[in-house]
């Protein structure tokens, strides 16, 4: 019988539960963690799906049991939960107590779409294994280092403070992992490297990381701000909201749905999958081309802005579904940026791969990298470090 070195990582979305079981026994800073199993239970609370997150976790537990990886195993050391919003209270991975859970519940108004599902996931996992440490790893935590100049919105300070209105940033686990992995790819100490990370998945965000510390990010109070995403608008003039209310007679909830679920690539062309948009563009589809162009234009704006924020940029790194797979997006986003020190290598950029790699030319002053993100591994690491690693003495 081995020591308790397994970490169960749970990512509870509104209608899905993603899980991974990771063995941290051989893990060190350079890897060595072993993914034992992973899966997803979808359509929670939908017709034809499972009823709730409790049933979803029991289903996941059943799937693991069939692979000889029962969650009743003494090798399971801890459960790590992705929690979307940590507000200003939670700036580090946190061992979950009743008080912490109440704190996460207090943050629901800031993340009404995400935190409730995370809370349900925590409660269900605690019921399943009440004896185990449970750790919350917050999507906002990596951005807690944002200087006030970057975190503050220029609105009345008393109002902002009273309602917790500031830029929190999200995808922090990914930005942290990818910025570190970029330094490793360059063979340099993360403390000496300045990186712009472009996390381009269905949700998308950019961050400026100086010496391992996040100093700016594109998402704000919620994950709606910043880049154009699959179904989210990203940046717009806030007066668009008043205009829709006053002129189109839309309710707050209507506008919330419009901007979060029916905008972005989907709103522009009817598709939110970059693969489909690529296919349509190849056939000369104008709406798909426009969606791509708007997406790329926004991306370039952030690359320029974050170059100025950082002053010296050592690397620009693409990650997540679009960033890892779309050579077209990478190429268009960084084309003609020689004045910023960026020279792509089109051949390297076109090569598909799963390993971290450089796609810039050898003489590019700024390295351009593709680094597959691994949020689950990062959560497992944080969880194990806090809850399960053998203690001294
Ligand atoms: P993620 O949220 O990181 O899972 O990313 C999901 C998105 O990645 C999808 O909606 C697609 O738009 C995009 N994606 C996945 N594979 C590819 C690909 N081969 N080429 C272009 N985009 C892709």
């Amino acid at each position: 019988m081995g020591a308790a070195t397994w970490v169960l990582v749970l990512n509870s979305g509104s209608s899905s539960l993603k899980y991974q079981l990771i063995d941290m026994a051989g893990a060190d800073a350079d890897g060595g963690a072993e993914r034992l199993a992973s899966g997803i239970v979808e359509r929670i609370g939908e017709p034809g799906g499972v009823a709730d997150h409790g049933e979803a976790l029991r289903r996941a537990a059943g799937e693991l049991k069939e692979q000889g990886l029962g969650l009743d195993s003494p090798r399971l050391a801890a459960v790590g939960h992705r929690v979307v919003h940590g507000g200003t209270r939670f700036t580090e991975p946190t061992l979950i107590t009743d008080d912490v859970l109440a704190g996460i519940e207090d943050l629901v108004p800031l993340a009404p779409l995400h935190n409730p599902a995370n809370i349900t996931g925590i409660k269900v996992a605690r019921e399943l294994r009440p004896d185990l440490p449970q750790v919350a790893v917050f999507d906002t935590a990596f951005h807690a280092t944002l200087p006030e100049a970057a975190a503050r919105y220029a609105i009345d300070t008393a109002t902002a403070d009273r309602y917790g209105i500031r830029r929190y940033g999200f995808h922090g686990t990914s930005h942290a992992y990818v910025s570190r992995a970029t330094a490793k790819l360059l063979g340099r100490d993360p403390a000496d490297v300045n990186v712009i990370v472009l996390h381009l998945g269905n949700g998308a965000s950019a961050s400026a990381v100086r010496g391992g510390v996040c100093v700016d990010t594109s998402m704000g109070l919620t994950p709606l701000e910043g880049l154009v995403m699959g179904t989210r608008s990203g940046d717009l003039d806030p007066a668009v909201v008043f205009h829709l209310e006053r002129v189109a007679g839309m309710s707050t909830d209507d506008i919330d749905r419009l901007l979060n679920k029916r905008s972005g690539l989907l709103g522009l062309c009817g598709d939110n999958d970059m693969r489909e948009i690529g296919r349509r563009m190849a056939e000369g589809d104008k709406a798909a081309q426009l969606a791509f162009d708007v997406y790329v234009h926004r991306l370039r704006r952030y690359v320029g802005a974050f170059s100025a924020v950082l002053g010296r940029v050592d690397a620009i790194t693409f990650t997540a579904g679009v960033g890892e797979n779309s050579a077209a997006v990478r190429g268009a986003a960084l084309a003609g940026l020689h004045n910023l020190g960026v020279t792509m290598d089109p051949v390297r950029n076109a090569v598909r791969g799963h390993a971290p790699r450089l796609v810039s030319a050898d003489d590019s002053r700024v390295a351009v990298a593709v680094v597959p993100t691994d949020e689950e591994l990062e959560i497992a690491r944080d969880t194990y470090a806090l809850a399960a690693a053998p203690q001294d003495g």
Side-chain angles (χ1 to χ4, degrees):
M1 174 85 58
T5 54
W6 295 358
V7 175
L8 175 67
V9 177
L10 295 181
N11 182 351
S12 310
S14 54
S15 67
S16 70
L17 175 82
K18 287 189 215 153
Y19 65 90
Q20 284 197 11
L21 190 63
I22 299 178
D23 188 356
M24 301 301 291
D28 57 28
D30 287 331
E34 190 190 349
R35 209 173 311 269
L36 301 174
S38 64
I40 180 168
V41 183
E42 291 178 291
R43 301 173 61 189
I44 298 173
E46 291 173 14
V50 300
D52 53 31
H53 285 80
E55 203 180 316
L57 184 57
R58 279 187 288 277
R59 166 144 336 169
E63 290 171 6
L64 288 166
K65 186 112 201 158
E66 281 168 24
Q67 301 168 61
L69 301 166
L71 295 184
D72 51 358
S73 166
R75 301 212 55 189
L76 186 59
V79 184
H81 298 268
R82 173 178 183 233
V83 178
V84 168
H85 215 307
T88 48
R89 173 169 170 190
F90 301 110
T91 58
E92 287 183 352
T94 305
L95 206 55
I96 297 169
T97 60
D98 290 344
D99 179 52
V100 167
L101 193 55
I104 298 170
E105 276 174 334
D106 288 342
L107 292 165
V108 165
L110 283 174
L113 300 177
H114 297 102
N115 272 30
N118 303 155
I119 290 164
T120 314
I122 291 170
K123 287 183 174 163
V124 168
R126 284 176 113 194
E127 277 167 28
L128 193 78
R129 283 295 302 268
D131 57 315
L132 284 187
Q134 313 255 338
V135 173
V137 178
F138 297 91
D139 240 24
T140 46
F142 184 61
H143 308 297
T145 51
L146 248 57
E148 284 292 285
R152 283 268 169 193
Y153 292 111
I155 63 170
D156 170 66
T157 303
T159 306
D161 288 350
R162 175 152 183 215
Y163 296 104
I165 295 171
R166 55 183 282 123
R167 177 169 291 112
Y168 294 97
F170 299 87
H171 291 146
T173 313
S174 177
H175 288 287
Y177 175 87
V178 169
S179 56
R180 261 202 339 267
T182 300
K184 189 177 160 202
L185 180 68
L186 300 179
R188 293 172 62 180
D189 183 344
D192 298 331
V193 178
N194 294 353
V195 193
I196 297 173
V197 177
L198 303 171
H199 175 111
L200 310 177
N202 202 22
S205 64
S207 69
V209 182
R210 176 181 289 132
V213 175
C214 188
V215 295
D216 208 346
T217 195
S218 62
M219 283 179 168
L221 176 77
T222 76
L224 183 55
E225 192 180 350
L227 300 174
V228 175
M229 312 183 207
T231 66
R232 295 184 208 134
S233 63
D235 293 335
L236 40 76
D237 180 344
V240 169
V241 175
F242 323 140
H243 191 80
L244 288 170
E245 227 162 52
R246 292 183 185 131
V247 178
M250 291 173 72
S251 71
T252 304
D253 285 346
D254 289 342
I255 300 170
D256 192 329
R257 269 192 298 276
L258 173 73
L259 299 182
N260 274 297
K261 307 246 183 229
R262 294 198 286 122
S263 296
L265 294 171
L266 181 73
L268 285 163
C269 77
D271 270 308
N272 63 336
D273 191 317
M274 199 52 89
R275 284 164 289 203
E276 189 55 29
I277 289 170
R279 271 192 286 275
R280 285 173 54 185
M281 278 162 61
E283 292 163 2
D285 185 314
K286 289 212 167 57
Q289 183 67 54
L290 178 64
F292 181 89
D293 292 346
V294 173
Y295 184 96
V296 165
H297 181 79
R298 187 80 51 86
L299 205 50
R300 291 172 69 86
R301 271 182 138 178
Y302 272 92
V303 169
F306 285 1
S307 296
V309 167
L310 287 173
R312 189 198 84 220
V313 180
D314 298 302
I316 299 172
T317 305
F318 290 87
T319 192
V322 176
E324 290 166 28
N325 295 298
S326 176
V329 166
R330 292 192 300 258
L334 300 184
L337 295 187
H338 306 292
N339 281 341
L340 291 180
V342 180
T343 310
M344 293 287 273
D345 180 319
V347 176
R348 286 180 188 160
N349 187 41
V351 174
R352 300 187 57 85
H354 295 292
R357 59 197 184 274
L358 291 176
V359 295
S360 45
D362 289 336
D363 61 354
S364 184
R365 185 157 49 74
V366 177
V368 181
V370 178
V371 172
T373 193
D374 198 337
E375 292 168 280
E376 283 76 15
L377 177 59
E378 185 78 1
I379 292 171
R381 248 190 219 144
D382 285 347
T383 300
Y384 193 65
L386 190 64
Q391 307 289 317
D392 289 338

